Amino acid sequence: MTKNEKTKILFIEDDPVLQKNVIEILEEEGYVVKTEVDGESGINTARQWIPDLIICDISIPIKNGYEVLQEISSNKMLKSTPFIFLTAKVEKEDIRKGMQMGADDYIFKPFDINDLLNSIRLRLQKNISAAKTSKNLNNTKVYNMDDKIMIKTGTKMQLLAVKEIKCIRADNPYILLKFADGKNSLQRQTLDEWETKLPQKFFLRIHRSTIINTEFIVKIEKLSKTSYIIRLKDEEEPFVISKRFAPKVRDHFS
């Protein structure tokens, strides 16, 4: 995006009062805004307009917010678009469902407009940073499993083999590398950078915030028709496969 281009935001909300108020505020902030009142229209507008960010209520007509996110996540042109849910639902299951599907944030009704503006700025900035990073990834050296890398664990610097990396998880503003021997290391590099460095035959992105070493998989469990978790050796907590990365996971094991 050049300096002369304005950020495009798609707002999907069926409450006319809320819609009007949010539009006015976003336009005052310099954003270009398009609105829709139902999920199907929102999906169609997103495909045609290619917004820079989408804000979507969960409880909207025809197709709900979850269905909108599913469609957006499966579209090559839109799958990396930051997606913010607006919702009056506060149940843990609802939040977990949205995050598993790849939502970037939840804003709960009634909300402070500054919370929404801060979330928009944060998500847009992260997306810009990710885009800049991706431009440099083609020149990144790809590790072999037996390669050793210098890693700081605690107060010590150690040479550890790539094959000993069990998983990598986002731990803002860092990422956390977990090794087979129980050592952990915080790094400032992004998951996108690590995903490009690691041998794709063995390392797999299963969530926006998670990369795993498939050599440590002990079990893959199906929770529902489209929901799966992975269990790794010596890890108590399972790892969620988000719907956004589920097709890639299926391709990897097919």
Side-chain angles (χ1 to χ4, degrees), residues 204-222:
L204 183 62
R205 185 83 169 259
I206 63 168
H207 194 280
R208 181 183 291 249
S209 62
T210 311
I211 297 172
I212 63 164
N213 184 342
T214 58
E215 295 291 280
F216 290 95
I217 293 177
V218 294
K219 192 175 184 181
I220 299 177
E221 299 178 30
K222 188 174 184 178

Side-chain angles (χ1 to χ4, degrees), residues 18-237:
L18 178 59
Q19 190 183 80
K20 180 177 182 294
N21 291 338
V22 171
I23 291 170
E24 289 179 356
I25 292 167
L26 293 181
E27 288 181 342
E28 285 178 3
E29 292 291 317
Y31 299 116
V32 177
V33 185
K34 281 193 177 183
T35 62
E36 296 294 351
V37 297
D38 65 76
E40 186 172 333
S41 298
I43 292 167
N44 290 335
T45 296
R47 288 170 176 165
Q48 296 169 16
W49 194 46
I50 313 297
D52 299 300
L53 181 138
I54 297 172
I55 304 169
C56 184
D57 191 359
I58 291 178
S59 301
I60 48 177
I62 305 180
K63 289 188 176 183
N64 63 34
Y66 297 126
E67 292 173 299
V68 173
L69 177 55
Q70 185 172 8
E71 291 281 348
I72 296 300
S73 298
S74 62
N75 185 291
K76 289 182 179 180
M77 295 292 293
L78 297 168
K79 63 182 180 180
S80 63
T81 304
F83 195 102
I84 299 173
F85 270 135
L86 289 184
T87 180
K89 297 183 177 184
V90 294
E91 289 81 3
K92 187 175 181 180
E93 291 74 17
D94 294 310
I95 299 173
R96 181 180 298 150
K97 180 179 180 180
M99 290 305 184
Q100 287 178 355
M101 292 178 67
D104 294 282
D105 204 355
Y106 266 81
I107 301 293
F108 298 100
K109 298 178 180 179
F111 57 87
D112 186 318
I113 193 63
N114 287 324
D115 289 339
L116 178 60
L117 292 175
N118 287 336
S119 180
I120 290 171
R121 294 185 192 111
L122 177 61
R123 301 306 157 190
L124 288 171
Q125 185 56 49
K126 283 189 174 183
N127 216 41
I128 291 170
S129 297
K132 288 180 178 178
T133 298
S134 67
K135 291 181 180 179
N136 300 320
L137 293 182
N138 290 335
N139 296 324
T140 303
K141 176 185 181 297
V142 178
Y143 292 128
N144 293 314
M145 290 294 275
D146 290 323
D147 285 346
K148 291 191 175 181
I149 52 177
M150 186 67 72
I151 293 291
K152 185 175 183 180
T153 58
T155 58
K156 298 180 179 179
M157 297 297 294
Q158 291 183 282
L159 277 173
L160 295 172
V162 170
K163 64 185 177 185
E164 294 301 313
I165 300 174
K166 185 187 292 186
C167 63
I168 307 176
R169 308 193 79 166
D171 189 12
N172 291 333
Y174 304 98
I175 59 167
L176 178 67
L177 276 70
K178 300 189 74 173
F179 291 86
D181 61 2
K183 293 185 175 71
N184 295 330
S185 177
L186 285 174
Q187 302 284 317
R188 282 195 174 274
Q189 293 166 303
T190 66
L191 275 180
D192 287 341
E193 289 175 287
W194 275 98
E195 184 180 18
T196 305
K197 290 180 180 181
L198 295 168
Q200 294 184 7
K201 182 178 178 180
F202 300 99
F203 286 89
L204 183 62
R205 185 83 169 259
I206 63 168
H207 194 280
R208 181 183 291 249
S209 62
T210 311
I211 297 172
I212 63 164
N213 184 342
T214 58
E215 295 291 280
F216 290 95
I217 293 177
V218 294
K219 192 175 184 181
I220 299 177
E221 299 178 30
K222 188 174 184 178
L223 298 182
S224 66
K225 187 177 180 181
T226 57
S227 179
Y228 297 84
I229 59 173
I230 287 179
R231 295 188 180 275
L232 299 186
K233 183 179 179 181
D234 298 327
E235 291 290 323
E236 292 184 7
E237 293 294 324

